[in-house]
Amino acid sequence: MTSALSVSLDYQPAATGPFLWQAFDTAAVTSDLAAIARAGFREVRVGLAWDSFMPDARGVDPRRMGEFDTLLRVAGAHGMGIVPVLFIQAHGDCVFLPGRAVRRDARRRGVRVLSDGMLEPGGPRDAWTDPLMLELADRWSRAMAAGFANHPAVAAWDLGDDPASVLRPRRIPDLASWVALAGAPLRERGDRVRMTLGADDLLCGRGVRLGSLSGQLDRIDIAVRPAQLRRLHLPEPEALLFVAQLAQALAGDQGRQVGLAVAMPSPGDDDEGADEPAAAAAVDQLVERRTEAGVCALRASSWCDLHPRLRDRAPFDRHDWLRRCGLARLDGAEKPVLGPWSRVARADVAAPPPAPWPPHLDVEAFYANVPDSVLDLAAAWHREQEDRPAILPRSEA
């Protein structure tokens, strides 16, 4: 039986961004999900901040569980499925953690910790091996499984969002062992479990191996940004297609379970900015060419731009582009990029079969020689594409 192409987006309210659980606004969430449903989306991914849901070691906050239940009920009323994101989630150079998960005598270079909205003076404990962190992760996972497993409005669970960018595993087996632990309570109930990795897990190598994770996950998504793609010296959307096919090759036998999460920021005065018509054209071409790359899922990284008052608050004080990744503007007006996303979200199309490239890849040799191996493969992939038809008729998109 052929599965349908999964099309979704990430959601944060415009007024609060990732701090939605500090000031959960049912009316705003209801209005936003209604607008998202009108745009044709039927799946929405929402981050559950660790510091909000487990502020201490006693267990999950009952108030947050109630607010999450409200979110699910609102989504269900609009015929939508929610993908909750648990555990380590990167927001620029920041990660949200409860106070007990912070080592105040061990700062990590380039990583800031936010707890209850405030910057902590230390750095994160090792989520992958620290006994306390493993205990907290297991406790949170079991609480969510007990409360919401098999919920009709839960489409799947995501175990993290580009975690290696803020907490790199010290050893390659560490993340695989952690995924087995954190995902077990949810998978034992029959729920689907995913994980979102970052493009730099492919392009740089950060102690993450897709092949060691794919057998324990129903899908791996790769989050990509324009600045990361520019390193490949490929035009868009060719760079996106290459990343998708390389991820499938690195994932091995489970390569068909690879999706793309695409960030397309509005123009700005930083390296992440992109011309809006060009961004829309790139997504339109990506949608048309998804079949040749074997992409089983597409996700937009943000529903709407975030309020300017967040500009001076971490993580936006150093990564203002994070506020400008929306498909809609702050006033609700549609950006050009919403068009192709909305069209494919409304369409009932099948997910294409996997198309890993290269078909045979020596993974250890590949990671031993990054970034040169990445650039060599990208150049070889581009040469191969020049001899093949690239664009599908729009009727097939």
Side-chain angles (χ1 to χ4, degrees), residues 13 24 63 94 106 218 246 252 254:
F24 187 80
R63 177 181 175 183
C94 292
D218 296 288
L246 176 60
Q254 299 296 319

Side-chain angles (χ1 to χ4, degrees), residues 231-234 242 357 372-386:
R231 301 181 214 151
L232 299 173
H233 307 300
L234 295 173
F242 168 72
W357 194 95
D372 291 343
S373 56
V374 174
L375 296 177
D376 289 346
L377 284 176
W381 180 91
H382 184 61
R383 289 193 296 269
E384 184 174 303
Q385 299 304 304
E386 290 179 330

Side-chain angles (χ1 to χ4, degrees), residues 50 54 56-57 60 86-88 98 101 126-145 159 177-186:
W50 201 335
M54 283 195 73
D56 53 52
V60 181
L86 307 174
F87 311 116
I88 302 297
D126 189 333
W128 321 123
T129 61
D130 186 292
L132 173 62
M133 296 295 283
L134 296 177
E135 178 185 346
L136 295 177
D138 182 65
R139 191 170 299 171
W140 191 11
S141 183
R142 292 187 183 282
M144 301 309 288
L159 298 184
S177 299
W178 181 89
V179 167
L181 170 78
L186 300 163

Side-chain angles (χ1 to χ4, degrees), residues 57-78:
R58 290 176 293 180
V60 181
D61 189 330
R63 177 181 175 183
R64 300 298 177 233
M65 297 286 271
E67 291 169 342
F68 180 57
D69 182 66
T70 297
L71 175 71
L72 292 179
R73 285 191 283 107
V74 172
H78 291 289

